[in-house]
Amino acid sequence: MSLERLIELIEIGHDIEFIYNDERYSIMNTQVGICFTKYYNLNHQEYTNVSDFIDNAWIGEEKLKDIVSQIEITHVF
């Protein structure tokens, strides 16, 4: 997945599920912005818009935008 394609999907309003390092994650569009979370984890990250999400989303110690080519998209809703 390219960063440009991920941005496009989010801007359209899709929710996305993916796997990275054998862990499942989801990106969901909500009424207040974008919610990013690891499955079965009560902690989540919230962002007001796509730019905020792309610039500030982290998985562990890695920025999502730096590893996006390594994620495996499982579902796009």
Side-chain angles (χ1 to χ4, degrees), residues 4-70:
E4 293 78 18
R5 181 67 176 143
L6 179 64
I7 291 169
E8 179 184 344
L9 290 171
I10 296 169
E11 286 178 335
I12 291 170
H14 288 291
D15 293 337
I16 302 163
E17 296 179 358
F18 67 91
I19 296 172
Y20 177 71
N21 281 347
D22 296 322
E23 299 286 345
R24 297 181 64 83
Y25 296 87
S26 67
I27 302 167
M28 297 173 289
N29 280 283
T30 68
Q31 290 185 2
V32 295
I34 298 165
C35 180
F36 177 51
T37 189
K38 181 178 174 181
Y39 271 53
Y40 309 110
N41 189 328
L42 296 177
N43 297 325
H44 62 276
Q45 302 170 45
E46 290 185 359
Y47 303 95
T48 56
N49 57 52
V50 176
S51 294
D52 183 29
F53 171 72
I54 294 301
D55 290 339
N56 298 301
W58 290 80
I59 294 180
E61 296 182 10
E62 300 175 286
K63 281 198 167 194
L64 178 61
K65 70 180 181 180
D66 295 336
I67 60 167
V68 70
S69 65
Q70 300 171 46

